Amino acid sequence: MGVSITVASGKGGVGKTTISSNLGVALAQLGKDVMILDADIEMANLELHLGLEGMETTLQDVLAGEADIKSAIYEGPGGVKVIPAGISLEGLRKADPDVLEQVLKTLLKNSEILIIDAPAGLGRSVVTALAAGQELLLVVNPEISSMSDALKTKIVAKKLGSHVLGVVLNRASREGTDLTASDIEIMLEAKILAVVPEDPEIRRSTAMGQPIVIRAPNSPAAVAIKKLAADLIGAKYVAAVPSEEGLMKRLMGGLFGGKR
């Protein structure tokens, strides 16, 4: 049996799915057998991040009793396995959230690392995801509203027996209004494991349906996530070697970027 990591935030819109998808791919690139499950059956978007939209069978079908979980597992970028939640309104109507707990137990038996991309809030599906995760990774932004929601999520997860791995500070910038890393650690009483900076490559990669750790492996956000993946499994982070094409683009940009 493998290890399960629930990636949660409490608050929506903090970049939780970005961290889940890219962390999963980064771990797969390190040779781990990784499966990512989108547990957000109401507002799913993991498949969009990984270029897997339009899959015939999804978690919604499994929760509706219309498919076996094995038929909803797809090969994703970088060798990661992905279970998309599905975005069909009809599928959502048929889905039974109570089946999710058994699905998670089955997946854990068949993967080395199971990453559960939890929904926002503290509804029934969130509690199920938190209970299934042996480890909890909290994703927050450097703002006070993110802290209060994350703290509630942490308290519930601990009561459910989940171990708090730590915090990923996402979309960090140098704005004077941002909370500092030390402020966040004090508020949440948890260690910050990674600081992922605000990075325009994130938006571009999401729009293309490609993980940033593959599309722009040397970008600041990608480097931070890959370092986190290496730290989680006790491996040494090795920076990606820029391709010749990438080097030429940067060189030409440096030579001619100021000209009009």
Side-chain angles (χ1 to χ4, degrees), residues 19-115:
I19 299 301
S20 297
S21 57
N22 282 281
L23 178 60
V25 173
L27 287 167
Q29 290 178 321
L30 291 171
K32 294 298 180 181
D33 179 18
V34 185
M35 197 175 290
I36 312 175
L37 170 78
D38 190 346
D40 192 349
I41 60 173
E42 295 179 357
M43 300 294 287
N45 58 22
L46 176 65
E47 54 220 75
L48 303 179
H49 284 248
L50 296 174
L52 293 173
E53 61 269 30
M55 295 296 101
E56 184 175 350
T57 305
T58 66
L59 180 63
Q60 285 184 346
D61 300 307
V62 177
L63 298 184
E66 297 177 350
D68 183 85
I69 186 59
K70 292 180 181 179
S71 64
I73 301 174
Y74 298 90
E75 186 79 14
V80 71
K81 296 171 185 172
V82 183
I83 301 97
I87 55 178
S88 163
L89 292 177
E90 177 63 18
L92 175 60
R93 185 183 67 79
K94 295 180 180 178
D96 180 1
D98 290 336
V99 180
L100 181 59
E101 184 176 357
Q102 185 55 49
V103 168
L104 291 170
K105 289 179 180 178
T106 301
L107 293 175
L108 189 54
K109 293 177 182 178
N110 296 284
S111 58
E112 189 175 4
I113 300 175
L114 172 62
I115 294 179

Side-chain angles (χ1 to χ4, degrees), residues 174-220:
R174 296 181 179 178
E175 293 288 336
T177 56
D178 280 0
L179 294 172
T180 66
S182 58
D183 288 337
I184 293 170
E185 288 187 328
I186 291 171
M187 289 179 183
L188 297 180
E189 296 184 340
K191 182 180 179 181
I192 290 182
L193 303 180
V195 177
V196 181
E198 189 75 67
D199 188 339
E201 286 296 339
I202 288 282
R203 182 172 296 178
R204 297 178 190 131
S205 296
T206 302
M208 296 293 291
Q210 298 175 330
I212 191 174
V213 295
I214 290 179
R215 185 179 182 277
N218 293 305
S219 64

Side-chain angles (χ1 to χ4, degrees), residues 122-142:
L122 282 174
R124 183 169 55 175
S125 57
V126 182
V127 172
T128 300
L130 293 174
Q134 299 160 340
E135 309 285 349
L136 173 68
L137 196 60
L138 280 171
V139 180
V140 302
N141 292 156

